[in-house]
Structure formats: structure tokens, C-alpha cells
Amino acid sequence: MSLLNILRYPDPRLHKVAKPVTVFDARLKQLVADMAETMYDAPGVGLAATQIDVHEQIVVIDVSETQNALQVFINPKVVWSSEEKRVYDEGCLSVPGIYDGVERPAQVRVQALDLEGKPFEIAADELLAVCLQHEIDHLKGKVFVEYLSPLKRNRIKTKLVKEEKEMQRGQAKAAGAR
Ligand code: K2U
Ligand code: ZN
């Protein structure tokens, strides 16, 4: 299995819209295994294929306390959301170090396919509901900072671009020193 590179905001590839999965083969299973390994290593409780620059509708989630209950959602879609809303302090592996309140429906029902292509439906609340909506947003090319004010979003963008440049300078220096 391998650890995959997670795209960092404001990388434009995070805004690509993912295509539905139509082939359920060994490649898909390997990709899901690599996504799960990458998520657990980060660590995170969810990861969308968009974040690893694969633009197919694939999501892995594990909201268990013991991080040993992986859930795989292929071509997921929200088919019902509650009127009740809940604000959750969200983070994102593609927006490191940034956490802010996002209001979303408190409960959702999601239809998806499993790794064999078999349809299923799940009712979610609490962290799973937040994570599912967050990941399905990723598949639509949407990052959670887009729910924040333009001022906050621009400050986050400036901060992460500065950090990316510093990281690249550090890597170039280290390569030059070899
Ligand atoms: O999409 C991602 O980057 C994965 C997120 C999923 C997530 C976002 C918001 C709220 C819940 C889950 C990462 O797991 S962010 C890190 C994290 C870890 C535990 C709880 C909340 C966020
Ligand atoms: Zn995210």
C-alpha cells in the first residue's frame, strides 16, 4: 500500500468535479486501500479522492473511536437532509491548521455503492453527517473555506500560499545542500 500526496488549498485541482465510478475492479480496491492508509496516517476521519488528485466519486471515512471501522462510499449522494442545522468546527487535510464553524443539516441520508458496486443507503448524524457532507462537497470541487467570509478565506489563502513557498524554498535548499 502507499501514502498518497494530499493537495493543499488553494490548489485549483481541488475545484475539479469528480466523475462517477463505473468499473469495480482491483485498481479501485487498491486506490481505496491507499486512500485509507493516507487518511489514517494524516490523521483524519475522512478523505475524498479529489484530495489526492483522483477525480472520481470515492470517499473513505472512519469516525470510530478506535479508528478500525472503515466506511467506503462510491458515487455518494445526499438524498435527504434535516431542517435542523448544526454548526461544527470543521478542519480539512487540504487546509492544514485551519478550523472554523460551518453550519450544515444535522442529519442526512446518503445513497452510495460499496466496493463491489452494490447500492446501499445510510442515515447519519453527529460527526458522520458532518464528514459525509464535507467529503461529498470535495467531490463537487468545494472546500469548506468557501462557507467562510471572503475576508477569512483570503487570509487563509495568503497564509497557506506563504507556507507552501517556504516549504518549497526549504526543500530546494535541502536538495542543494546534498
Ligand atoms: O476531508 C478531509 O480533509 C477530512 C476531514 C474530515 C472532516 C472534516 C470536518 C469535520 C469532520 C471531518 C479531516 O478528517 S479534518 C481532521 C478532523 C479530525 C477529526 C475530527 C474532525 C476533523
Ligand atoms: Zn476536507
Side-chain angles (χ1 to χ4, degrees):
M1 297 211 275
S2 19
L3 290 179
L4 306 170
N5 176 55
I6 296 176
L7 298 178
R8 288 163 68 103
Y9 185 80
D11 191 312
R13 291 170 289 181
L14 286 169
H15 302 298
K16 289 176 76 168
V17 176
K19 292 184 171 50
V21 171
T22 54
V23 178
F24 293 77
D25 57 3
R27 177 206 71 98
L28 179 65
K29 287 186 171 62
Q30 184 58 57
L31 175 58
V32 163
D34 291 345
M35 284 178 65
E37 184 184 2
T38 303
M39 176 188 73
Y40 288 125
D41 178 75
V45 298
L47 188 69
T50 307
Q51 295 177 273
I52 47 123
D53 199 19
V54 169
H55 302 285
E56 298 179 51
Q57 295 176 18
I58 305 164
V59 165
V60 295
I61 291 176
D62 187 339
V63 292
S64 67
E65 288 294 318
T66 45
Q67 288 284 281
N68 64 348
L70 184 69
Q71 295 178 273
V72 180
F73 299 85
I74 309 295
N75 304 343
K77 65 176 180 185
V78 175
V79 293
W80 175 86
S81 359
S82 63
E83 291 293 318
E84 181 200 353
K85 300 286 188 291
R86 185 78 47 86
V87 177
Y88 192 93
D89 217 21
E90 296 196 17
C92 180
L93 298 176
S94 295
V95 193
I98 305 293
Y99 293 87
D100 211 325
V102 175
E103 184 182 68
R104 298 183 190 269
Q107 294 94 28
V108 289
R109 294 188 68 79
V110 168
Q111 281 177 358
L113 304 177
D114 66 15
L115 257 181
E116 312 306 324
K118 185 167 166 275
F120 68 95
E121 184 169 316
I122 186 171
D125 60 4
E126 304 293 335
L127 181 58
L128 181 57
V130 178
C131 194
L132 271 168
Q133 294 174 86
H134 178 108
E135 303 309 339
I136 291 170
D137 269 354
H138 272 303
L139 299 181
K140 294 175 183 168
K142 189 164 187 171
V143 183
F144 89 97
V145 297
E146 295 169 50
Y147 291 98
L148 309 181
S149 70
L151 179 66
K152 277 188 176 178
R153 189 163 56 249
N154 288 331
R155 281 181 176 159
I156 291 165
K157 197 176 282 187
T158 304
K159 177 177 184 290
L160 292 184
V161 166
K162 183 167 173 279
E163 284 175 6
E164 187 69 21
K165 283 188 179 138
E166 281 162 6
M167 202 157 38
Q168 284 167 358
R169 265 200 297 276
Q171 285 166 351
K173 208 167 161 192
R178 283 194 203 108

